[in-house]
Amino acid sequence: MLLSRHRLTTPAPVNVYFRNTLFKLTEGLAFLHYSCKLIHRNVCPQSVIINKRGTWKLAGLEFTEKCNETDPMNAVHCQPFTSKLPKMGQPHLDFTAPEIQNSSTCSPYSDMFSLGLLICAVFNNGRSIIEANLSSSTYNKQLDLLEQTLHDLLDGIPHHLQEPLQSLLKVDPRKRPNAQNFSMIKYFLDSSVHALQYLDVIQMKDTTHKSTFYHGLKGALPNIPRKLWYQHVLPSLKSEIHSPEALAAALQPFLFIIEESTADEYQTLILPMFRSVFGMPKSVQATVTLLENLDIIMKKMSKTDIKSDVLPMMYSAFDSTTPQIQSAALYALAQVAGYLDENAVRKMILPRTKQVFDNHTGTKEDSVIQVQANALICIEKIIDKLEKTDILDEVLPMLNKAKLQDPAILLPVVRIYKHMLGDKRYGLTVNLLATKVMPALIPVVVSPGLKLDQFTSLVELLQEMLDHVSKSQKNKLKLEKLSMSSMDKNSSIRTIEQNTGYPHRPPSLRLESRRTSISMEDVIQQTCNSTSLSPDSNLLRVQAGLPGRRHSDDTIQPPSILVAPSSPEGCLSRGPSTGNLHMRRHSSVNPLDIKMTFATTPKPVTPSNLGVDYFASGRGGRRYSATALYESVGGGMSSAGSSTSLLKQIGSGVQQLFSSK
């Protein structure tokens, strides 16, 4: 691509790119003058091409002249510009040196004048400060105004280039600098320019020189245009990927470009050449460099690429026996923990981290301490993705084994414990704090290696733990005190009930089941069939001790069955309380039912068999009254005396029944 179509249509920014390209043109002229012994004669924008790497190249050699054989810097004869010839067959008049047009002579200094006009065109919207319009007379007029025109343009030209540019545009050729001197001006003394120059010849250097250069290239990249990163720098770095010796140094600028590039640029321009780095054999330094900067790469990668390229490299690093690689792997896990899912953390990351930690618990070397510190930092990053059982079974034993006397290990442990105190789901109970955690941390308080901020963090953690234990234990004791008070109150109530006795709760009473009522038949049957050792005998003792009390649902006293007389003058007597009772009919059944029962009974009912045996003949019978019974069986008895006698006989039998016990 021609320079006139690429950069000179708009004002070019003053940056490293222009410095480098201008330096390239100067070097090209130096090579042409001193190595080829040629004069270019047509240095103009149309003679500069730009290759795919963004480098300016000097072309248009169709108008070259040989230098003086005696002294290359001496002038030789040449053809000036004339309107008699086609303009395409002549050098560009607007970039022609004055001696060519006025005296028909040229020298290497003539090319330097043309170079000065080219520099002015870069800062003048692509136009030369001499605009002759293919006219020799106009050219001479413009030449007379050259100094004033240049002075007006200097404000837009970099400071360190102004004075050299003025010397290039001197009318006298001998006052102009040659190509070698111009390439050493202060404007070109820039690390970024030299870096770009060195990349062109780096393949001819040995590994030592390459490593030294790549370490310094990272600092020069911010001043190099991004376009040159992909066009000029990356192609050189790509050649070092398969060189294990230079890869460690080349990774530094490689990672810087990855960090500053976008995700699309990484996927399309960088990843295709960088993918092989993950799986290839690398030196220890290269592996450590890649692992320590793995978070930069993972920010630009998809989850699929992470699982296929990055994670296998990290897992293989854990299997290494080199402490530097293991430490770097733990550090990498801590940096990329946010990109890993919980299943991978629990099943792969945590077991490998614990294994590496356990393998470095026996000695006190600096490398071992660094491995433990990185392992604890890794645990700190992934603890939110662990289950309670993982923390209790895996993490807490690691914290107990940690060398807490070293501040590099103590600080991650303090942060982990402080994080666990904030949530109960981590399983850090009061018992663990009081018996395991605090006894291990308290002796570290007097460690001489602690600084003030480290000591303060540890004491604050211990105070927080103590407050947590104190609060929990105080609440527990309060609950126990309230429980004991409640138990004492209940015991006092039971004691009062036992001392007061019945009716609150008889001490010798044992209720197997609740009964609604006791019929007369039940009482008679229990009385007849019970022995002195029967538990039911207590029923009559209770009744004897409490005479006259009605046997309801909440007591066990037998009901007081009073038999009403059949006539106004008749009366039954049962103890001293019977005289005060009015006539009462005690029955829960219809008298007609009893009549029907006696009507169907095959055995004739006579007064002689209405004694105690009749009442005790069956437990399944209904309750009844003596009056109803008399009405049912005594309807054929016409004599009032006989009915009275019958009732007296029944009353006597019932009275004997209740008084016998």
Side-chain angles (χ1 to χ4, degrees):
M1 179 185 296
L2 293 177
L3 178 61
S4 59
R5 299 179 182 177
H6 180 64
R7 282 288 182 182
L8 301 185
T9 55
T10 57
V14 181
N15 52 24
V16 176
Y17 179 76
F18 178 69
R19 291 186 185 187
N20 179 62
T21 53
L22 183 57
F23 184 81
K24 286 287 187 182
L25 295 180
T26 304
E27 280 194 330
L29 289 176
F31 174 77
L32 197 65
H33 295 164
Y34 295 99
S35 298
C36 301
K37 308 295 183 180
L38 293 175
I39 303 171
H40 192 279
R41 287 192 62 214
N42 192 31
V43 178
C44 63
Q46 287 77 8
S47 300
V48 178
I49 60 175
I50 302 174
N51 62 12
K52 292 182 179 180
R53 299 180 63 175
T55 305
W56 290 15
K57 298 292 184 180
L58 188 60
L61 302 178
E62 59 272 12
F63 302 110
T64 57
E65 294 282 351
K66 288 185 179 182
C67 293
N68 191 307
E69 296 180 358
T70 304
D71 185 0
M73 305 306 296
N74 289 336
V76 295
H77 179 74
C78 65
Q79 176 66 39
F81 182 87
T82 175
S83 58
K84 297 178 180 180
L85 297 175
K87 66 175 183 178
M88 296 297 296
Q90 303 178 78
H92 201 305
L93 180 58
D94 292 346
F95 294 91
T96 301
E99 62 271 17
I100 297 177
Q101 194 65 23
N102 296 331
S103 60
S104 302
T105 58
C106 65
S107 66
Y109 293 114
S110 302
D111 289 341
M112 300 307 296
F113 185 90
S114 300
L115 179 62
L117 294 175
L118 176 62
I119 295 173
C120 292
V122 172
F123 294 96
N124 193 34
N125 297 329
R127 300 192 305 270
S128 175
I129 57 176
I130 297 178
E131 294 182 316
N133 294 323
L134 304 179
S135 172
S136 300
S137 59
T138 305
Y139 174 84
N140 291 326
K141 292 179 182 179
Q142 293 286 331
L143 189 61
D144 295 337
L145 301 174
L146 178 63
E147 185 175 355
Q148 181 61 37
T149 307
L150 178 60
H151 184 271
D152 296 339
L153 187 64
L154 286 180
D155 292 338
I157 297 175
H159 174 70
H160 295 294
L161 187 59
Q162 292 178 5
E163 185 177 351
L165 181 58
Q166 288 176 325
S167 62
L168 286 176
L169 296 178
K170 294 293 184 180
V171 178
D172 187 358
R174 292 292 178 177
K175 294 181 180 180
R176 304 169 193 162
N178 57 36
Q180 291 179 342
N181 293 334
F182 187 75
S183 63
M184 293 185 293
I185 63 175
K186 191 175 182 179
Y187 180 71
F188 296 130
L189 296 180
D190 185 85
S191 60
S192 302
V193 175
H194 287 290
L196 293 174
Q197 297 299 319
Y198 197 87
L199 286 173
D200 292 335
V201 296
I202 195 171
Q203 300 305 322
M204 297 182 291
K205 307 296 181 180
D206 57 14
T207 304
T208 304
H209 286 85
K210 288 181 179 180
S211 300
T212 304
F213 168 74
Y214 285 132
H215 280 295
L217 179 60
K218 181 179 178 180
L221 283 175
N223 298 322
I224 298 176
R226 294 173 62 92
K227 187 175 182 179
L228 291 184
W229 293 355
Y230 309 112
Q231 294 180 343
H232 200 68
V233 180
L234 282 180
S236 299
L237 296 176
K238 181 180 178 181
S239 61
E240 308 298 342
I241 289 179
H242 300 287
S243 176
E245 297 80 8
L247 178 60
L251 282 175
Q252 297 291 340
F254 229 136
L255 292 170
F256 179 84
I257 295 175
I258 292 174
E259 184 177 12
E260 297 297 325
S261 63
T262 63
D264 293 338
E265 291 172 342
Y266 175 79
Q267 292 290 335
T268 57
L269 301 175
I270 302 175
L271 185 58
M273 68 176 68
F274 194 75
R275 191 186 297 274
S276 60
V277 176
F278 296 112
M280 65 177 293
K282 297 177 286 293
S283 62
V284 174
Q285 186 60 38
T287 304
V288 171
T289 301
L290 190 59
L291 289 173
E292 290 180 347
N293 297 275
L294 200 57
D295 57 322
I296 297 175
I297 301 173
M298 295 187 67
K299 291 178 182 178
K300 304 296 192 306
M301 299 183 69
S302 62
K303 290 185 177 181
T304 304
D305 294 333
I306 291 175
K307 292 181 179 180
S308 60
D309 298 331
V310 178
L311 293 184
M313 182 192 66
M314 286 197 304
Y315 299 150
S316 62
F318 279 105
D319 299 332
S320 174
T321 57
T322 306
Q324 293 89 341
I325 295 179
Q326 292 178 340
S327 178
L330 291 172
Y331 179 81
L333 285 176
Q335 300 300 316
V336 303
Y339 300 94
L340 305 175
D341 55 18
E342 294 183 2
N343 191 37
V345 169
R346 296 181 61 243
K347 293 186 178 180
M348 291 181 287
I349 303 303
L350 180 60
R352 293 175 184 268
T353 303
K354 185 176 183 297
Q355 180 182 1
V356 173
F357 182 89
D358 293 338
N359 293 337
H360 295 81
T361 55
T363 61
K364 297 183 179 180
E365 298 179 0
D366 293 339
S367 60
V368 173
I369 292 176
Q370 187 61 40
V371 170
Q372 284 197 6
N374 287 341
L376 293 172
I377 293 174
C378 178
I379 293 296
E380 180 185 358
K381 298 294 184 180
I382 66 176
I383 192 170
D384 289 333
K385 298 185 178 182
L386 299 178
E387 299 290 341
K388 180 178 179 180
T389 55
D390 299 325
I391 296 175
L392 296 177
D393 298 340
E394 306 292 343
V395 176
L396 289 182
M398 290 176 60
L399 300 180
N400 293 333
K401 296 178 183 178
K403 302 180 186 300
L404 300 176
Q405 290 74 17
D406 193 282
I409 296 177
L410 176 64
L411 294 181
V413 173
V414 169
R415 292 194 298 267
I416 291 173
Y417 278 134
K418 186 169 292 187
H419 186 72
M420 293 172 65
L421 281 175
D423 197 336
K424 294 182 179 180
R425 70 184 181 91
Y426 297 114
L428 196 60
T429 62
V430 173
N431 292 334
L432 288 175
L433 289 175
T435 59
K436 299 292 184 181
V437 179
M438 295 182 67
L441 291 175
I442 290 176
V444 189
V445 175
V446 295
S447 177
L450 293 182
K451 297 181 180 179
L452 179 60
D453 56 342
Q454 298 166 354
F455 171 80
T456 304
S457 299
L458 178 58
V459 171
E460 289 177 354
L461 174 65
L462 289 172
Q463 186 62 46
E464 187 176 353
M465 289 181 175
L466 184 60
D467 293 342
H468 188 73
V469 174
S470 175
K471 181 179 179 181
S472 177
Q473 195 68 10
K474 187 179 295 184
N475 293 335
K476 180 180 178 181
L477 293 176
K478 287 181 179 179
L479 291 175
E480 290 180 355
K481 183 178 180 180
L482 293 175
S483 178
M484 292 298 297
S485 300
S486 178
M487 292 177 62
D488 293 341
K489 182 177 180 180
N490 294 334
S491 178
S492 301
I493 293 174
R494 287 195 299 269
T495 303
I496 293 173
E497 290 179 354
Q498 291 176 0
N499 293 335
T500 56
Y502 189 81
H504 298 284
R505 184 175 294 174
S508 60
L509 178 62
R510 182 168 63 95
L511 296 177
E512 297 294 340
S513 62
R514 191 180 184 98
R515 303 182 62 177
T516 59
S517 179
I518 298 178
S519 64
M520 182 176 179
E521 298 94 318
D522 296 334
V523 175
I524 296 173
Q525 183 67 28
Q526 292 175 3
T527 303
C528 297
N529 298 335
S530 63
T531 62
S532 61
L533 299 178
S534 174
D536 294 335
S537 64
N538 192 38
L539 297 174
L540 296 180
R541 295 192 193 96
V542 175
Q543 187 272 338
L546 300 171
R549 182 173 179 84
R550 181 180 177 182
H551 186 76
S552 61
D553 291 346
D554 57 348
T555 64
I556 62 171
Q557 181 181 358
S560 299
I561 303 176
L562 302 179
V563 182
S566 60
S567 62
E569 63 274 9
C571 182
L572 292 176
S573 176
R574 192 187 68 132
S577 62
T578 57
N580 299 326
L581 296 175
H582 299 287
M583 289 189 304
R584 182 179 178 187
R585 185 176 163 191
H586 189 81
S587 176
S588 60
V589 298
N590 193 340
L592 296 178
D593 297 338
I594 300 178
K595 291 180 180 181
M596 293 177 63
T597 301
F598 281 94
T600 58
T601 302
K603 183 179 178 179
V605 179
T606 61
S608 60
N609 58 11
L610 292 178
V612 177
D613 294 337
Y614 179 80
F615 292 104
S617 61
R619 296 181 59 90
R622 295 179 178 271
R623 290 186 291 179
Y624 55 89
S625 65
T627 304
L629 180 63
Y630 172 75
E631 291 177 355
S632 62
V633 299
M637 299 180 183
S638 59
S639 174
S642 60
S643 62
T644 304
S645 176
L646 175 61
L647 292 176
K648 289 181 178 180
Q649 186 177 358
I650 294 173
S652 300
V654 172
Q655 185 175 5
Q656 291 176 3
L657 172 65
F658 288 98
S659 63
S660 61
K661 298 295 182 178

